[in-house]
Structure formats: C-alpha cells, structure tokens
C-alpha cells in the first residue's frame, strides 16, 4: 500500500531577494503553485548593430556576421496563482494582501528611500543617484537560478472576503535576466549569472549529438 509520506513533495519555484554585497538572502518568496507554463525568449546580441540582421550590408558587416557582443538578452513570462482558500489552516485576516504587497515591493523603492531622495532634493543636492534595489533571483529548481529584474507585474484579483480583502489573484509576471552586460564586474549578480550560464553549458554538453546521415548528408557537407 502506498503511503502518502513516501511521495516526495514537489520543489517550489520562487524569488529570493539577496543582499548584493554579502550575498545573504533578505527575503524568500515561495510561489504557492508552480506555473503551468513558462514563456522564455532569447535575443542574441549580434555585433555590428542592426545591419547584421539583413542579407546585404557592407564588407564590415559581413565580417561581424558570426560575432556576438555578449550573452543573449533573455526574458521570462509566466502566470502565478495565489489563493487564500487553499491555505485554510493559516489565518489570513488580511486575505492575500501581504503576499501581493511582498511582490509589489520588488518594483517599488521603500517609503524611507523616497523620503531621503526628497530630503536631498530640498537640500539642493545637484545630482541624486537613482535608488538601487536589492538583487533579485528567480529560482526554478536547482538548475535554474538567475539574477532578474521584474519588468512586468499585472494583478487580476478575482475574489474578496467581506472586508474586501483579496483572497484569490492571478499574477502575470515578466522578468529580464540580468547578465554580465547589465551588471558591473565583481557584482554578486554577475557571478550568479556566470554560474547560471555554466549550468547551461553542462546541460548542453550532456545532450546527445546528431549525425549528418540523419540530415540526409551522409556524404558530408
């Protein structure tokens, strides 16, 4: 007889907010349900500008046809679900407000940071640096851990309690993977991206290679 205790629990995907200097996690956001689908896109950073994409161009463009300026620009999109009714054993006097606020704060500076920026402005500071956010990592199992920046967060709240606290929501999340082209050398996020790329290289090396004969090219190229 199968015992429920013998069934392994699925690993959850999630977001980890990391101190970029120390590399220590500041906050861990575990997605309640793993998304059913992931949409990923990769755009190569071709050398020489937009002219490389065409069939013609100058001799200089032809010399750059196989060159890359850096890693591909990668983005992810998925839909996440949050449902307070699925966690009846956990008291939720505010519904799913806390979970939504935690995700929303990934794209907001804090009120303290905004007050400080306002204070510097009133003080007459000529140049105020943009507010730096913590390093954000997206995790999808042990083979996909990458630094990201949220570029889209849409929220569809579909159920509420008697106090109008949301208790069910669907979130559209879009992320840009931050590579060494986006982060300064020596930054913790740049090191994590290189580890993510090295993992891709290991997986690619483990793939079975094809043969020319399978392509109808048994006599060679």
């Amino acid at each position: 007889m199968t015992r429920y205790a013998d069934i392994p629990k699925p690993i959850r995907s999630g977001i980890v907010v990391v101190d970029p200097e120390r590399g220590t996690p500041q906050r861990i956001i575990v997605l309640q349900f793993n998304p059913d689908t992931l949409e990923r896109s990769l755009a190569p950073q071709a050398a020489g500008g937009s002219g490389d994409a065409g069939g013609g161009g100058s001799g200089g463009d032809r010399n750059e046809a196989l060159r890359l300026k850096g890693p591909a620009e990668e983005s992810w999109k998925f839909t996440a679900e949050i449902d307070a009714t699925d966690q009846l054993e956990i008291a939720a006097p505010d519904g799913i407000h806390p979970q939504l606020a935690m995700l929303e704060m990934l794209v907001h500076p804090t009120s303290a940071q905004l007050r400080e920026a306002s204070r510097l402005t009133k003080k007459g500071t000529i140049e105020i640096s943009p507010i730096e956010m913590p390093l954000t990592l997206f995790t999808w199992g042990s083979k996909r851990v990458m630094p990201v920046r949220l570029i889209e967060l849409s929220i569809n709240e579909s159920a509420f309690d008697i106090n109008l606290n949301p208790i069910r929501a669907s979130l559209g999340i879009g992320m840009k993977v931050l590579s060494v082209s986006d982060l300064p050398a020596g930054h913790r996020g740049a090191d994590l991206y290189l580890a993510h790329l090295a993992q891709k290289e290991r997986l690619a090396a483990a793939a079975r290679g094809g043969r020319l004969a399978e392509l109808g090219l048994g006599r060679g190229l």
Side-chain angles (χ1 to χ4, degrees), residues 61-81:
D61 290 338
R62 294 192 181 103
N63 291 335
E64 301 292 332
L66 300 179
R67 297 183 184 275
L68 296 174
K69 294 185 294 184
E73 295 181 350
E74 184 176 356
S75 61
W76 290 53
K77 286 186 178 180
F78 59 88
T79 300
E81 307 286 341

Side-chain angles (χ1 to χ4, degrees), residues 150-186:
L150 263 68
I151 57 176
E152 178 185 341
L153 179 60
S154 60
I155 303 171
N156 182 10
E157 300 175 2
S158 57
F160 304 87
D161 64 16
I162 58 173
N163 295 315
L164 293 184
N165 294 311
I167 58 174
R168 187 181 305 123
S170 174
L171 299 94
I173 298 176
M175 303 178 300
K176 179 186 185 300
V177 178
L178 298 178
S179 72
V180 292
S181 298
D182 304 300
L183 299 165

Side-chain angles (χ1 to χ4, degrees), residues 109-138:
T110 66
S111 56
Q113 289 172 320
L114 291 174
R115 288 194 181 98
E116 176 62 14
S118 178
R119 185 188 68 81
L120 292 173
T121 300
K122 292 178 180 178
K123 189 179 177 182
T125 303
I126 297 177
E127 184 177 352
I128 300 175
S129 299
I131 296 171
E132 183 175 359
M133 299 296 287
L135 174 63
T136 304
L137 306 179
F138 178 64

Side-chain angles (χ1 to χ4, degrees), residues 4-217:
Y4 289 112
D6 295 334
I7 301 175
K9 292 184 178 179
I11 294 174
R12 296 295 182 194
S13 58
I15 296 171
V16 183
V17 180
V18 176
D19 183 324
E21 294 183 359
R22 300 180 181 179
T24 54
Q26 294 180 328
R27 175 163 289 184
I28 300 173
I29 303 172
V30 180
L31 297 183
Q32 186 177 354
F33 308 105
N34 285 334
D36 292 329
T37 60
L38 293 172
E39 178 184 343
R40 301 194 296 126
S41 64
L42 292 91
Q45 289 197 66
S50 58
D52 294 337
S58 65
D61 290 338
R62 294 192 181 103
N63 291 335
E64 301 292 332
L66 300 179
R67 297 183 184 275
L68 296 174
K69 294 185 294 184
E73 295 181 350
E74 184 176 356
S75 61
W76 290 53
K77 286 186 178 180
F78 59 88
T79 300
E81 307 286 341
I82 303 179
D83 191 342
T85 62
D86 194 64
Q87 305 180 80
L88 295 177
E89 72 280 3
I90 302 174
D94 299 316
I96 59 173
H97 267 311
Q99 293 94 319
L100 294 178
M102 188 163 50
L103 286 166
E104 290 177 53
M105 286 310 299
L106 296 176
V107 295
H108 282 298
T110 66
S111 56
Q113 289 172 320
L114 291 174
R115 288 194 181 98
E116 176 62 14
S118 178
R119 185 188 68 81
L120 292 173
T121 300
K122 292 178 180 178
K123 189 179 177 182
T125 303
I126 297 177
E127 184 177 352
I128 300 175
S129 299
I131 296 171
E132 183 175 359
M133 299 296 287
L135 174 63
T136 304
L137 306 179
F138 178 64
T139 70
W140 185 270
S142 61
K143 296 180 179 63
R144 288 174 170 172
V145 180
M146 67 211 82
V148 298
R149 179 177 67 238
L150 263 68
I151 57 176
E152 178 185 341
L153 179 60
S154 60
I155 303 171
N156 182 10
E157 300 175 2
S158 57
F160 304 87
D161 64 16
I162 58 173
N163 295 315
L164 293 184
N165 294 311
I167 58 174
R168 187 181 305 123
S170 174
L171 299 94
I173 298 176
M175 303 178 300
K176 179 186 185 300
V177 178
L178 298 178
S179 72
V180 292
S181 298
D182 304 300
L183 299 165
H187 192 282
R188 176 67 175 172
D191 293 338
L192 288 167
Y193 175 79
L194 290 174
H196 167 62
L197 189 59
Q199 176 72 323
K200 283 182 184 287
E201 293 167 2
R202 286 191 290 270
L203 292 171
R208 172 188 171 273
R211 294 175 298 168
L212 288 176
E214 295 176 289
L215 304 177
L217 302 172

